[in-house]
Amino acid sequence: MAMDMLMAGVDTNPEKQAVLREEVMKVLPEKDSEFTEASMKNVPYLRACIKESQRIYPLVIGNGRFLNRDSVLSGYQVPAGTCVSMVPLSLLSSEEHFHKSAEFLPERWIRNATDSNGQCPANDLKLKNPFVFLPFGFGPRITLSAPP
């Protein structure tokens, strides 16, 4: 059953997979081609696929941080030392933030990209809240143990 799920998962987006394979083959034409930091700059579709995968299936359900100073969040006074949790799951699947949110559209992360219908599926992500998609958090890392 596990093999069926893995194998079926490969077939879910054959057109996206073909675009990705073509891009990777340009950068890594031989079996022993080395994938370097420089070659990573030449695979925007791969980066877009990774972002879109993390949007649909986030690695973590949220981030938590201890405030290092008193803050006002959405009009509420929150004292320093308070643990603030950010759980963006509903935002990542929201039509308000991601057009056709249920679909796997790596093109949404590429500027001026179009889909197979010639439509631009990408949201203008710069106009949206930049904190909607933060797969690895933002700002300094603070452990979730008690504040110092």
Side-chain angles (χ1 to χ4, degrees), residues 17-77:
Q17 197 173 3
V19 172
L20 179 58
R21 184 178 192 285
E22 182 179 327
E23 180 181 84
V24 170
M25 292 304 291
K26 286 179 185 173
V27 176
L28 306 171
E30 303 298 326
K31 286 183 182 181
D32 58 349
S33 297
E34 189 174 333
F35 194 67
T36 64
E37 184 179 346
S39 59
M40 185 64 177
K41 293 177 182 175
N42 297 315
V43 285
Y45 198 75
L46 173 59
R47 288 194 311 273
C49 285
I50 291 169
K51 283 182 179 180
E52 186 68 350
S53 295
Q54 290 174 348
R55 182 190 68 82
I56 294 175
Y57 301 107
L59 297 172
V60 296
I61 61 166
N63 294 302
R65 299 288 183 270
F66 285 101
L67 296 178
N68 60 0
R69 62 179 180 261
D70 291 348
S71 301
V72 176
L73 301 174
S74 297
Y76 293 93
Q77 181 69 35

Side-chain angles (χ1 to χ4, degrees), residues 100 114-120:
K100 297 182 180 181
T114 58
D115 63 13
S116 58
N117 299 325
Q119 304 272 330
C120 184

Side-chain angles (χ1 to χ4, degrees), residues 73-122:
L73 301 174
S74 297
Y76 293 93
Q77 181 69 35
V78 184
T82 301
C83 182
V84 177
S85 298
M86 299 157 279
V87 183
L89 294 177
S90 62
L91 298 175
L92 297 174
S93 59
S94 166
E95 284 290 321
E96 178 184 346
H97 298 287
F98 298 96
H99 178 66
K100 297 182 180 181
S101 63
E103 294 182 36
F104 182 76
L105 297 172
E107 297 82 5
R108 78 174 78 241
W109 301 101
I110 299 174
R111 291 182 191 166
N112 304 321
T114 58
D115 63 13
S116 58
N117 299 325
Q119 304 272 330
C120 184

